[in-house]
Amino acid sequence: GAVVSQHPSWVICKSGTSVKIECRSLDFQATTMFWYRQFPKQSLMLMATSNEGSKATYEQGVEKDKFLINHASLTLSTLTVTSAHPEDSSFYICSAATRQGSYGYTFGSGTRLTVV
Amino acid sequence: AQSVTQLDSQVPVFEEAPVELRCNYSSSVSVYLFWYVQYPNQGLQLLLKYLSGSTLVKGINGFEAEFNKSQTSFHLRKPSVHISDTAEYFCAVSGGGGTSYGKLTFGQGTILTVHP
């Protein structure tokens, strides 16, 4: 089945530094990927939608200069949290639209970001 | 716009008892409906999905759900739960846009706790 690999699983960084999170589709081409943020004991909130070769579409209230999304190939999308602050600490999850078989979405395993 | 309401934030149940997790949605267009399970610090795993056809959908791990268009509901059921079913469950909806991949909108989540 479709597999999405997300790396790293967890990361701790100092306030003011940048962190890059990678999301790879291992056995299929993902033309569309989604990035979500999940606060403790809360649901997933969509941050942005990225399409291969074009600029990401950000949801209202999400700072595009802070959360840089790059989808340069059909198998890789990256989310870079720039100048991270403690309030950016959260669980970030990527998802790829799955074109194999029937309509669906495959999720990565998530990245726990802690900014200290 | 579309929205999802999971009517119970927490559902405690004893092992081998039946369980129903309730989900209602609202949308101005036809929808695709999904149930996902999330274990702590992990991504989401698809349990089942409704795209079209039979309103009773069977998924993995003995779960099933019934799409009820008139009541705009998509409740998840399992006739006999196990300790290993303890997790958080999310109902989600996307616009049924044919080959286009619409955004997934998630409910608030239901924490299912199975007691021995």
Side-chain angles (χ1 to χ4, degrees):
Chain A
V3 176
V4 171
S5 174
Q6 187 171 344
H7 179 82
S9 299
W10 57 270
V11 58
I12 301 174
C13 71
K14 290 185 177 181
S15 187
T17 62
S18 296
V19 173
K20 180 184 284 189
I21 301 170
E22 292 188 349
C23 185
R24 294 181 183 271
S25 57
L26 297 187
D27 51 359
F28 66 102
Q29 294 181 334
T31 54
T32 304
M33 285 192 173
F34 305 88
W35 287 94
Y36 296 86
R37 184 174 181 176
Q38 186 179 31
F39 289 106
K41 301 187 185 302
Q42 294 189 27
S43 188
L44 284 77
M45 299 300 296
L46 180 66
M47 299 175 66
T49 302
S50 73
N51 291 291
E52 184 266 338
S54 61
K55 290 183 178 180
T57 302
Y58 291 81
E59 295 299 299
Q60 190 172 9
V62 178
E63 299 176 62
K64 60 182 179 182
D65 294 331
K66 181 169 188 61
F67 299 100
L68 300 179
I69 291 173
N70 184 283
H71 193 164
S73 77
L74 287 171
T75 59
L76 175 65
S77 177
T78 60
L79 168 67
T80 301
V81 183
T82 62
S83 187
H85 291 286
E87 57 265 30
D88 299 323
S89 298
S90 189
F91 193 58
Y92 294 87
I93 308 176
C94 67
S95 171
T98 310
R99 290 191 179 274
Q100 290 181 329
S102 65
Y103 181 105
Y105 306 83
T106 301
F107 285 81
S109 55
T111 298
R112 172 74 58 193
L113 170 63
T114 302
V115 184
V116 298
Chain B
Q2 55 200 26
S3 64
V4 179
T5 302
Q6 290 182 240
L7 299 166
D8 306 292
S9 59
Q10 296 190 54
V11 173
V13 65
F14 286 108
E15 193 173 19
E16 297 184 4
V19 71
E20 178 180 80
L21 306 183
R22 298 179 294 168
C23 172
N24 285 94
Y25 70 92
S26 67
S27 176
S28 57
V29 297
S30 61
V31 297
Y32 297 154
L33 293 155
F34 305 80
W35 273 101
Y36 291 92
V37 60
Q38 184 180 35
Y39 298 98
N41 292 311
Q42 293 188 27
L44 275 67
Q45 180 183 7
L46 178 68
L47 286 176
L48 48 79
K49 61 185 175 184
Y50 171 79
L51 303 181
S52 65
S54 173
T55 56
L56 182 61
V57 181
K58 293 188 183 297
I60 63 171
N61 301 340
F63 285 95
E64 63 179 34
E66 185 156 18
F67 170 58
N68 188 318
K69 188 175 182 179
S70 62
Q71 297 187 7
T72 60
S73 68
F74 191 55
H75 300 333
L76 181 70
R77 302 185 182 96
K78 185 169 183 177
S80 176
V81 295
H82 303 289
I83 296 288
S84 59
D85 292 324
T86 295
E88 188 159 19
Y89 293 78
F90 290 95
C91 181
V93 62
S94 73
T99 56
S100 66
Y101 285 84
K103 302 183 281 189
L104 269 181
T105 300
F106 286 87
Q108 301 88 333
T110 298
I111 297 174
L112 172 65
T113 304
V114 181
H115 299 281

